[in-house]
Amino acid sequence: MVDLNPMRVPPKDADPIPEQPMVATKEEMVRAGIPVHMRDNCAHLLIPLGKCRVEGWYLFWNCKPEKIAYEKCQHYEYLRRVQVAQKRRDEKLGIDLPTLRKANESKED
């Protein structure tokens, strides 16, 4: 389970967070009026959230489950992007995490 604290960056050796597949099609997103900058892997959750907001007169307490699901998806997507960026940075710098761990373990002995 991934820690949902937004200030916490996942450790480098954490299990990779799988990428969410695109569920909503381009036509569905156009019909729902989702702006281009919000069409990501969590857009399929934004469609019912937008519909609920319109039907509920934009009262924030009406669509809590939909909003929580969308924000949770966005947070997991952020954590996944952070992991990918860390991995790319480490590859660019030539850092090999298992080798570093072994070196640290041998120093402690």
Side-chain angles (χ1 to χ4, degrees), residues 1 12 24 29 33 39 46 51 55 58 69 78 82 94 99-100 103:
M1 180 88 179
K12 292 181 182 180
M29 291 185 277
R39 295 180 189 177
L46 192 57
K51 187 176 180 181
E55 291 171 357
Y58 289 90
Y78 166 76
V82 167
T99 307
L100 289 175

Side-chain angles (χ1 to χ4, degrees), residues 8-109:
R8 182 176 179 274
V9 176
K12 292 181 182 180
D13 58 345
D15 293 332
I17 299 171
E19 184 174 355
Q20 296 288 332
M22 263 316 256
V23 178
T25 63
K26 184 177 180 181
E27 292 80 25
E28 289 174 334
M29 291 185 277
V30 169
R31 260 187 274 125
I34 297 176
V36 175
H37 71 276
M38 297 180 82
R39 295 180 189 177
D40 57 3
N41 294 345
C42 300
H44 66 284
L45 297 170
L46 192 57
I47 295 171
L49 176 60
K51 187 176 180 181
C52 176
R53 284 179 172 166
V54 169
E55 291 171 357
W57 297 78
Y58 289 90
L59 298 173
F60 65 88
W61 58 81
N62 284 342
C63 305
K64 230 171 203 171
E66 291 88 350
K67 184 177 179 183
I68 290 171
Y70 176 70
E71 288 177 349
K72 186 176 179 181
C73 180
Q74 286 288 316
H75 182 71
Y76 283 141
E77 187 63 22
Y78 166 76
L79 292 177
R80 188 190 65 75
R81 287 193 313 266
V82 167
Q83 280 186 339
V84 169
Q86 285 177 341
K87 187 174 181 179
R88 285 182 182 163
R89 184 191 66 218
D90 291 347
E91 288 173 356
K92 185 177 179 181
L93 296 174
I95 298 172
D96 185 23
L97 201 58
T99 307
L100 289 175
R101 270 199 213 108
K102 287 179 185 176
N104 285 337
E105 287 173 1
S106 63
K107 287 180 183 178
E108 290 174 2
D109 292 340

